[in-house]
Amino acid sequence: MLASMEKLTSGAIKLGFPLSSGQLEQFSIYYRELTTWNKRINLTRITNPQEVPVKHFLDSLTITLAFSRPLPDTGLRVIDVGSGAGLPGIPLKLLLPGIRLVLLEATRKKAAFLEHIRDRLGLENTEIVIGRAETVGHDSRYREAFDLVLSRAVARLPALVELTLPFCAIGGRFIAQKKGAITREIDEAAGAIKSLGGSLREIKRVELEELGDERYLIVIDKVAPTAGTYPRRPGIPVKRPLT
Ligand code: SAM
């Protein structure tokens, strides 16, 4: 086994999830397909076999640190906004096969990879939606329809909450994965979080020696409906974040 797969295994144990041999095999297939497709389309900068299982897969699984225990596996409705190559949604699905997952991605080529890997891994209850959060967030099939909204490396928090909170059902939760200095970003997002019906619950520091650098989960509860005016037109949330 690759040393980095061993780090994925040991990190997952620390998170409270010993991975089965079947799950490890699925992560290996995911790794191989990701690096093969990455030669043709730009899915990820990180392709080194020593890095992918840790910096992509284990990092995605740290989302579970913000869940209540025992984990709510069966039927939990989850959307990954700006999923790219499937991160963090696919690692979470491999860990918790019972969730109902939507992967939302604006780029058609990346969405083609998501369809391929879903079929290759035989993932059930996994829908790929091609589109922008600003548009799909107004579609009644997806608006306020999810218990858990995830997003990793998509936008700064003041814009990101406008792209994500409209998907969150009342009583649901949005978890953003962030790296590095985050205090300013969080301060700047305070007004937007409130305007969109959210309430900052927790900023959780991820402490896993396998990952090394400073990572955080920003956990936001959805406590009130999002006004129908949000999200604004494509591009506007990032260009003119709510204050
Ligand atoms: N979440 C993945 C990860 O952590 O590796 C991908 C990160 S990548 C830097 C950002 C992704 O978000 C891109 O694939 C991009 O196409 C997608 N994206 C950016 N803005 C979006 C939007 N408004 N709606 C849907 N997808 C978006």
Side-chain angles (χ1 to χ4, degrees):
M1 196 186 348
L2 284 172
S4 52
M5 276 294 183
E6 280 170 13
K7 280 192 181 174
L8 170 64
T9 310
S10 66
I13 289 171
K14 287 180 194 161
L15 292 172
F17 305 102
L19 296 173
S20 68
S21 55
Q23 284 169 316
L24 277 172
E25 175 58 19
Q26 286 192 303
F27 276 110
S28 297
I29 295 171
Y30 187 17
Y31 168 71
R32 286 199 299 271
E33 295 291 335
L34 181 62
T35 46
T36 305
W37 275 61
N38 207 52
K39 290 178 190 142
R40 283 187 282 130
I41 63 170
N42 184 18
L43 288 169
T44 170
R45 267 184 314 105
I46 299 172
T47 51
N48 181 330
Q50 298 312 320
E51 292 191 322
V52 173
V54 179
K55 293 199 171 167
H56 277 333
F57 301 164
L58 182 59
D59 183 52
S60 295
L61 296 183
T62 62
I63 281 279
T64 56
L65 289 169
F67 289 11
S68 326
R69 308 286 168 127
L71 289 190
D73 184 356
T74 310
L76 192 77
R77 300 162 301 168
V78 181
I79 185 167
D80 178 5
V81 176
S83 187
L87 304 160
I90 290 182
L92 188 67
K93 177 75 180 171
L94 295 181
L95 192 73
L96 305 173
I99 63 174
R100 285 188 276 154
L101 179 64
V102 170
L103 303 172
L104 172 63
E105 173 50 49
T107 308
R108 194 160 287 277
K109 282 183 183 172
K110 293 185 182 179
F113 172 74
L114 292 174
E115 282 167 355
H116 168 77
I117 194 68
R118 175 205 44 206
D119 297 345
R120 177 74 179 79
L121 293 171
L123 303 179
E124 290 174 355
N125 290 322
T126 303
E127 183 186 358
I128 316 301
V129 177
I130 309 171
R132 292 193 61 121
E134 295 94 322
T135 311
V136 181
H138 288 283
D139 183 327
S140 58
R141 285 171 296 171
Y142 304 104
R143 190 175 177 88
E144 298 194 327
F146 296 90
D147 306 301
L148 186 60
V149 180
L150 308 175
S151 194
R152 177 180 183 260
V154 171
R156 289 187 80 245
L157 198 62
L160 188 62
V161 287
E162 187 172 349
L163 300 176
T164 53
L165 279 175
F167 291 107
C168 221
I170 309 230
R173 194 167 283 182
F174 166 50
I175 307 174
Q177 292 187 271
K178 290 278 174 187
K179 270 209 284 193
I182 51 160
T183 316
R184 188 158 165 216
E185 209 176 318
I186 293 169
D187 287 349
E188 286 175 9
I193 293 171
K194 198 159 175 249
S195 307
L196 293 157
S199 168
L200 181 62
R201 180 191 182 85
E202 175 182 25
I203 298 157
K204 200 167 180 69
R205 185 164 176 187
V206 175
E207 292 180 78
L208 273 188
E209 61 169 323
E210 285 79 358
L211 286 169
D213 49 10
E214 228 171 275
R215 291 166 195 240
Y216 298 90
L217 303 175
I218 299 167
V219 186
I220 298 171
D221 287 336
K222 180 79 175 269
V223 294
T226 301
T229 39
Y230 301 121
R232 290 166 292 165
R233 279 182 292 117
I236 302 296
V238 170
K239 207 158 137 196
R240 291 207 313 268
L242 294 170
T243 51

